[in-house]
Amino acid sequence: MIAACLIVAGLGLAAAPWAIVAVRRLGGRLGATLVFASALTVLLLASMISGAAPVSLAAAMVTVALLSITSGTAVLVRSGRTRRSRRPGRWLEWVAAGLGGVAWLVALGVASAVPGAVRVGWVLAGDGFNNIELARLLADADGPFTGPDLNPAPLPALLLAVLGGAAGTTGDAVVVLAVLWSLGIVATCLVTGLLACTFIDPVRLRLRALVAGVASLLPLTVLVGTLPMYWGFLNAALVAPIVIVTVFVLTDAARHPRAALAAALLLITSALVAWAPLAAVPAAAAVAIAMRFRVLLGATRGVGMLAVLVPLVALGVVSVSVVVPAIFGSLPGFAADGIGFPALWAPLAVVAAGIAVVLLLGYRAHPDVRWSVTGWGAGVIAAIAGTVVLAAGDPSGYYPVKIVWFSVVGSGVVLVALLVGWLSRTSGGRLTLLPVLAAVGLAALLPVAAPGASPLRPAPAVLFSGGLWWGGAETERLVAIVTRDDAPALLWRSGEPDEALVDMWALLDAGGGFGGDKDLRLLAFDGYRALRAGHWQGGDAGALCRPIERIDGLVVYTADPGLAAEVEAACDLPDPPVRLIPDTSQLR
């Protein structure tokens, strides 16, 4: 964990000079968005170069960091006292918007010191191992490999590999995965808080800060934060800040149209490799900016044109070499059936209607707001429509339902921002907090179906209430043990409530990963799906034959004294035979 945190600090230091320059020239929101999107795009392009050239991924990242800090420092020194977008006191809303992220980090810190609390076990569900395996494959190739079988969303794998998640044991990788996911949560809390206070009069500093602070807690709620954890949906925490800051690009476009268009193009690139359908949102923003400021943009020459052309070229390179082949190679997967993610079509309709009504009633004299919300809405509609088309027209499929969930969350924040902005003008501030309090309360208390798991609670509470699954901290400990390189192990009829989850990690780590033993992979996910569906009854003795045959030195821990005889009758045991230990207390 320390190494991953140091890498994060180093990357932040490398981007710091550019961030200072951009914020001075463009203001906090647009400047930070431009640097954020640029950093993600540069990391991606550098990894593509390292994958195509005889350069390691680590060397490419170090080189990029050094070039960034030296060139950024030079630009910062030469810029001197650059004209700033002076808005005294605006730092207060940034500090307040960090409340949710700080709350999450404090909860993690407390959990690390409290016996029985869950430290990293909240990242073990669903695609947890897949995230690590994809990072390992990317690190082995020193960058996103190309072809029809490549990862259609390589950004999470790239960031995990950059932070060291592809090195060391699986237990080490789980810790790095938790660090990366936490970074995504912190970033989502920050941008959610900033978005919520966007449409309040800038002079009302305290009110903006209060709204930002309360809204920043939204990503920690059951609907927004815990549900993706249950499914192992790391992409949600990473794509959320990328898509949400699109609103900042739209709202600041009137002051800096060229920079806003450049930021939108960079956000398209970042979203394409985080979760491709949602790239429609910044794409719609880019179209809206180009249409609204077409005369000014058409007259752009020199450095201004270069600032737009470079992101456009980067978008083209990434699209042609990575995204398009990946999407066409993954088309059958988009038609996957819905497997339990809550379908929120009705809430989406309610949120969309609310946005339309508030926009018509409260913002007729605010063209910047209308353009911003229209751009956001067009992007969300395009993302949903595109995903349904890719899913063979089935709106109940897995990916359309997940897109709708994200659309409800993101558009819900936009609706809250519109409502608090309107109420701050019409009620004198007395009712301004009601929409944001209602949104946080509803998202925190909304009953979300999670078969096979303990009741879902807000994200910080997950750490102290047994985790997402029945075994809690014990499950976290068992996964770390069964994935040790020197001692492959399985639980079988052990009596552990999360046995199937633990065995999923053990089987995938022992050879059932991508491109590995298909039978081990099938066995791993069959048990896990049964656990998640709530009807896991313990392993069949015959199902142990394949792991016994394929995993050298396997040790099986069980609480069933009759399992050994059943395995001997069902399997062709190797010589020496597998070790069956009828005492789970020895699993230490």
Side-chain angles (χ1 to χ4, degrees):
M1 178 178 292
I2 295 177
C5 293
L6 289 175
I7 293 173
V8 171
L11 293 175
L13 182 63
W18 290 107
I20 295 172
V21 172
V23 169
R24 283 180 175 179
R25 294 184 176 182
L26 305 174
R29 297 185 181 214
L30 181 58
T33 295
L34 183 61
V35 173
F36 170 61
S38 299
L40 292 177
T41 303
V42 168
L43 288 177
L44 178 64
L45 293 174
S47 70
M48 292 172 62
I49 293 173
S50 70
V55 179
S56 70
L57 181 63
M61 295 300 110
V62 171
T63 301
V64 165
L66 291 175
L67 288 174
S68 175
I69 195 169
T70 52
S71 59
T73 301
V75 172
L76 178 60
V77 171
R78 291 187 61 185
S79 64
R81 295 182 177 273
T82 308
R83 177 178 56 85
R84 305 186 186 191
S85 298
R86 293 186 179 276
R87 293 182 180 179
R90 291 296 293 271
W91 58 268
L92 186 61
E93 69 192 53
W94 282 78
V95 173
L99 175 63
V102 171
W104 175 247
L105 295 178
V106 169
L108 287 175
V110 173
S112 66
V114 173
V118 174
R119 296 167 176 80
V120 297
W122 50 276
V123 304
L124 296 177
D127 288 330
F129 184 87
N130 291 339
N131 291 320
I132 293 172
E133 184 74 358
L134 289 169
R136 288 171 172 170
L137 292 172
L138 186 145
D140 289 342
D142 284 320
F145 45 92
T146 57
D149 297 323
L150 61 79
N151 176 13
L155 182 62
L158 171 61
L159 295 178
L160 191 56
V162 169
L163 296 185
T169 66
T170 297
D172 296 332
V174 168
V175 174
V176 179
L177 176 59
V179 171
L180 176 60
W181 203 319
S182 294
L183 287 174
I185 292 173
V186 170
T188 304
C189 289
L190 177 65
V191 298
T192 299
L194 291 175
L195 173 56
C197 68
T198 294
F199 303 126
I200 301 175
D201 191 328
V203 302
R204 306 192 68 173
L205 301 177
R206 293 182 180 179
L207 182 60
R208 289 176 67 97
L210 188 58
V211 169
V214 176
S216 72
L217 300 174
L218 189 62
L220 305 181
T221 61
V222 172
L223 179 64
V224 184
T226 311
L227 190 60
M229 293 178 186
Y230 174 73
W231 293 91
F233 189 26
L234 170 65
N235 296 52
L238 300 181
V239 76
I242 294 173
V243 177
I244 289 174
V245 295
T246 300
V247 178
F248 304 153
V249 171
L250 287 162
T251 55
D252 285 8
R255 292 194 299 273
H256 307 284
R258 299 182 188 87
L261 181 58
L265 293 172
L266 291 167
L267 289 172
I268 298 172
T269 304
S270 302
L272 278 173
V273 292
W275 195 17
L278 286 173
V281 178
V287 172
I289 293 169
M291 289 176 58
R292 188 182 181 191
F293 303 103
R294 55 188 178 277
V295 175
L296 177 61
L297 293 171
T300 299
R301 297 291 184 273
V303 176
M305 176 172 286
L306 190 64
V308 174
L309 287 179
V310 170
L312 189 61
V313 171
L315 173 59
V317 170
V318 172
S319 299
V320 171
S321 60
V322 175
V323 178
V324 173
I327 290 178
F328 278 101
S330 305
L331 283 178
F334 281 100
D337 294 333
I339 54 176
F341 210 84
L344 301 177
W345 287 97
L348 178 63
V350 172
V351 170
I355 289 175
V357 170
V358 176
L359 201 61
L360 288 173
L361 293 179
Y363 292 92
R364 292 183 179 179
H366 298 77
D368 288 345
V369 176
R370 294 202 308 272
W371 270 96
S372 301
V373 177
T374 300
W376 170 273
V380 168
I381 292 171
I384 295 173
T387 309
V388 171
V389 170
L390 290 173
D394 181 11
S396 64
Y398 179 57
Y399 289 102
V401 167
K402 287 209 300 186
I403 282 284
V404 169
W405 163 79
F406 183 90
S407 300
V408 169
V409 171
S411 300
V413 180
V414 172
L415 175 57
V416 168
L418 290 171
L419 282 171
V420 298
W422 182 33
L423 291 173
S424 69
R425 300 194 309 272
T426 58
S427 71
R430 292 186 298 274
L431 303 177
T432 304
L433 273 181
L434 285 182
V436 67
L437 288 172
V440 172
L442 182 63
L445 301 176
L446 190 69
V448 179
S454 56
L456 296 186
R457 300 174 177 87
V462 166
L463 306 178
F464 304 99
S465 59
L468 295 170
W469 303 89
W470 303 115
E474 179 66 7
T475 298
E476 176 183 305
R477 187 185 69 83
L478 290 173
V479 168
I481 291 174
V482 300
T483 55
R484 290 184 306 199
D485 293 339
D486 60 335
L490 286 175
L491 308 183
W492 217 261
R493 302 182 191 172
S494 63
E496 293 290 341
D498 294 338
E499 177 179 291
L501 175 63
V502 175
D503 282 347
M504 178 186 75
W505 279 82
L507 290 167
L508 295 176
D509 192 58
F514 290 108
D517 191 301
K518 293 182 179 179
D519 290 334
L520 291 182
R521 188 172 185 83
L522 182 62
L523 178 62
F525 282 107
D526 279 349
Y528 171 69
R529 291 189 185 102
L531 174 68
R532 192 168 61 191
H535 54 71
W536 170 250
Q537 299 296 326
D540 177 69
L544 261 177
C545 298
R546 188 65 168 178
I548 289 173
E549 175 188 342
R550 289 302 181 94
I551 303 175
D552 294 334
L554 178 66
V555 178
V556 179
Y557 293 87
T558 182
D560 182 0
L563 180 62
E566 292 183 46
V567 169
E568 187 173 355
C571 307
D572 183 14
L573 296 178
D575 186 21
V578 65
R579 291 177 60 200
L580 263 164
I581 302 178
D583 183 3
T584 56
S585 66
Q586 296 187 31
L587 188 58
R588 295 291 184 268

